[in-house]
Amino acid sequence: MIQISDLEKSFTLHNQGGAVIPVMAGANLSVAPGECVALIGASGAGKSTLMRMIYGNYLSQGGSILIDGVDVARAEPREILQLRRETLGYVSQFLRVVPRVPTVEVVAEPLFNVGHDRDAALAHARGLLARLNIPERLWSLSPTTFSGGEQQRVNIARGFAYDYPAMLLDEPTASLDATNREVVLRLIEEAKARGAAIIGIFHDEAARNRVCDREIDVTSFTPRAA
Amino acid sequence: MTPLLKVRDVAKYYGGRIGCTDVAFDLYPGEVMGIVGESGSGKSTLLNCLAGHLDPDSGEVLFDTRTEGLKDTVTMSEPERRMLSRTDWAFVHQNARDGLRMGVSAGGNVGERLMAVGARHYGDIRSQAIDWLGRVEIDEDRVDDRPSAFSGGMQQRLQIARNLVTGPRLVFMDEPTGGLDVSVQARLLDLLRGLVRQMGLSAIIVTHDLAVVRLLADRLMVMKSGRVVETGLTDQVLDDPQHAYTQLLVSSVLQV
């Protein structure tokens, strides 16, 4: 499902003397449907960078990232947007809130984007919000003013609203209480069971051991200092 | 899929000075493209060349017309271009006064565009105008007021209603939120975002506000000194800018 070969990344800081910082070289990774792979490595090793490259947020300097036949490293913006709508989901650590949109619509939006019936999508969103223990009186409000933990759960509900064949999870269980952590782990297990290919960053070791089939240490992708 | 707009090597010079040059891109149906850059970078010149307000010195601007497919709007006849700008195109000016008729009522401003494409039944025109005022959150009881009695934010929303009432396929926007205070901006942006998604519009938005493009645009074009220096997916250009100027632009935004 996800096939990464010889991936390279460097940052060029034009406004700081043109410094070139190589951060990744020769990254190889493949994930099969129904498999969950954890990225590990110390802070700054490049876990988030790799996730952003897979999602098309960061450009790659070399190599390829094949997801369902689309090479994200070379695709046109509209191909990446289509991939993000239909194939590749991303649960980031922070919710990017659009002012004035009610929570239930924020969660249902990925379903609207693929043309699901509006009422069915909203019903599905309500179900997820209830599962993640967001009080019903908050559903019609914008999540702008919610607490950090609530925003994160809204973000997770949104990420799991549509059944993406491939998913990227950036610390999905961070800062959640035991009950909600359990709900999120169940959601991940259900996604695996329906055949989703998942790449995740989990600092929570117990969670990682429970849902992940393999670990990849991204330190091995770090280029040696010249 | 046929692009809705195909732009090839468009250039515009003001005497010896470059307005914009070497601009080429394809815009597909449903895509929203942002054009960012500092003032004087040629973004408004480019927008005006694309919308037929300025004659480019060279290049082609091909639009996918309903009857004849891709057709160069630079060389098409004036009546034909005017018809396009009344039906398939819309232009939202930075200053609402440039896009409204200040001496005509709000309803009249919206209705005028309907009449320009052949609507004649007064009752229908009025009810459509009221429907659109509602969509841009202007109360029905303001339908007979003149825009000069409206606040800046309301004028801008009225201009949007006037432009979208005929169901255009391509909307040009020149700093649509410029000069409005932030709370009005947020409301307008949310409104625009909803309308663009619901109606499946394609749009080209010129702005210097990176937060606006992050919210509205799928892809981005960065201009400097009349040239395009970087293009790509909006979040990619903003999160991992490649060109020196884009890096400067992104790092210069003040954090709130």
Side-chain angles (χ1 to χ4, degrees):
Chain A
M1 190 67 210
I2 304 175
Q3 181 91 41
I4 297 170
S5 336
D6 292 324
L7 198 61
E8 271 176 51
K9 172 74 194 160
S10 60
F11 291 104
T12 308
L13 308 177
H14 292 288
N15 299 304
Q16 293 177 47
V20 178
I21 305 171
V23 292
M24 195 177 291
N28 288 288
L29 172 64
S30 73
V31 187
E35 195 183 21
C36 178
V37 173
L39 300 182
I40 58 168
S43 177
K47 302 184 292 291
S48 296
T49 299
L50 180 56
M51 297 270 264
R52 289 188 187 139
M53 290 169 78
I54 300 171
Y55 200 56
N57 252 18
Y58 281 3
L59 282 183
S60 314
Q61 267 65 39
S64 65
I65 307 167
L66 281 174
I67 299 172
D68 202 18
V70 178
D71 184 357
V72 176
R74 255 172 287 277
E76 292 285 315
R78 68 197 163 87
E79 294 173 307
I80 296 181
L81 288 171
Q82 190 186 2
L83 192 75
R84 288 180 182 181
R85 262 196 312 274
E86 295 167 4
T87 313
L88 181 64
Y90 182 29
V91 179
S92 63
Q93 285 188 67
F94 303 100
L95 180 66
R96 197 178 276 284
V97 194
V98 179
R100 299 207 314 162
V101 180
T103 298
V104 63
E105 294 200 12
V106 170
V107 174
E109 199 188 4
L111 295 169
F112 298 157
N113 290 345
V114 289
H116 280 224
D117 172 68
R118 191 175 162 83
D119 291 333
L122 289 174
H124 188 67
R126 285 188 203 102
L128 273 166
L129 286 168
R131 249 186 107 177
L132 284 155
N133 302 303
I134 303 280
E136 192 170 345
R137 63 193 152 78
L138 298 180
W139 297 356
S140 58
L141 307 177
S142 159
T144 330
T145 54
F146 289 11
S147 75
E150 282 165 348
Q151 289 199 4
Q152 203 201 340
R153 278 179 279 147
V154 172
N155 203 18
I156 288 167
R158 179 184 160 91
F160 281 91
Y162 171 69
D163 288 341
Y164 295 104
M167 295 187 81
L168 305 171
L169 309 176
D170 193 349
E171 295 248 34
T173 57
S175 73
L176 291 184
D177 57 64
T179 323
N180 286 309
R181 177 175 169 275
E182 180 61 30
V183 176
V184 173
L185 291 177
R186 287 254 173 80
L187 283 171
I188 297 173
E189 284 166 347
E190 286 165 21
K192 282 175 69 181
R194 65 169 169 78
I198 301 175
I199 298 180
I201 301 175
F202 299 87
H203 283 300
D204 175 352
E205 208 176 324
R208 184 163 75 216
N209 292 337
R210 179 164 148 195
V211 295
C212 296
D213 305 296
R214 276 190 292 142
E215 291 180 357
I216 299 279
D217 190 343
V218 295
T219 318
S220 61
F221 303 151
T222 311
R224 304 264 164 72
Chain B
M1 196 166 43
T2 325
L4 187 66
L5 192 71
K6 218 174 153 90
V7 177
R8 289 292 171 270
D9 306 319
V10 164
K12 173 78 187 170
Y13 296 91
Y14 297 110
R17 236 183 274 271
I18 296 174
C20 62
T21 184
D22 286 336
V23 181
F25 65 88
D26 290 341
L27 186 77
Y28 285 83
E31 266 188 329
V32 178
M33 187 173 85
I35 304 178
V36 296
E38 60 199 358
S39 49
S41 59
K43 39 191 207 308
S44 293
T45 297
L46 174 62
L47 192 73
N48 283 314
C49 285
L50 301 178
H53 297 174
L54 279 176
D55 261 342
D57 292 319
S58 64
E60 295 177 323
V61 180
L62 302 160
F63 180 76
D64 184 22
T65 57
R66 289 182 205 232
T67 47
E68 295 169 80
L70 283 176
K71 200 164 177 196
D72 191 354
T73 62
V74 177
T75 53
M76 78 173 39
S77 70
E78 185 59 32
E80 222 178 333
R81 193 160 49 215
R82 211 174 296 165
M83 193 61 199
L84 265 187
S85 66
R86 280 203 294 254
T87 54
D88 275 346
W89 290 359
F91 197 103
V92 178
H93 294 264
Q94 170 171 12
N95 190 341
R97 287 165 177 270
D98 296 338
L100 291 173
R101 296 233 278 144
M102 299 306 283
V104 175
S105 71
N109 263 290
V110 179
E112 187 188 22
R113 228 179 112 104
L114 285 169
M115 286 165 71
V117 293
R120 287 294 175 264
H121 186 284
Y122 178 77
D124 288 349
I125 293 172
R126 189 173 168 89
S127 64
Q128 270 210 62
I130 290 173
D131 172 50
W132 266 94
L133 291 182
R135 287 204 223 183
V136 297
E137 304 172 9
I138 295 176
D139 275 342
E140 187 180 334
D141 60 13
R142 302 297 301 270
V143 65
D144 295 316
D145 291 351
R146 292 188 180 176
S148 47
F150 286 4
S151 69
M154 279 172 82
Q155 288 180 358
Q156 194 58 290
R157 279 180 274 138
L158 179 61
Q159 191 194 184
I160 288 165
R162 173 181 160 96
N163 270 287
L164 298 187
V165 66
T166 49
R169 291 191 292 155
L170 176 59
V171 186
F172 301 98
M173 297 190 225
D174 191 0
E175 301 273 9
T177 59
L180 300 174
D181 73 69
V182 283
S183 63
V184 178
Q185 260 191 35
R187 188 168 177 198
L188 193 71
L189 283 175
D190 176 37
L191 188 82
L192 276 174
R193 186 171 175 272
L195 291 172
V196 165
R197 297 279 184 273
Q198 277 162 29
M199 300 174 69
L201 299 175
S202 302
I204 299 178
I205 303 174
V206 160
T207 179
H208 60 262
D209 189 335
L210 298 182
V212 169
V213 286
R214 172 131 13 212
L215 201 63
L216 288 178
D218 301 317
R219 44 191 277 229
L220 213 55
M221 201 157 92
V222 184
M223 293 189 73
K224 177 166 169 55
S225 312
R227 291 170 199 276
V228 176
V229 295
E230 184 163 356
T231 62
L233 204 63
T234 302
D235 52 23
Q236 181 261 301
V237 173
L238 296 181
D239 294 342
D240 186 18
Q242 305 294 307
H243 189 273
Y245 174 68
T246 320
Q247 292 187 354
L248 183 68
L249 197 69
V250 170
S251 65
S252 304
V253 175
L254 299 174
Q255 301 272 324
V256 181

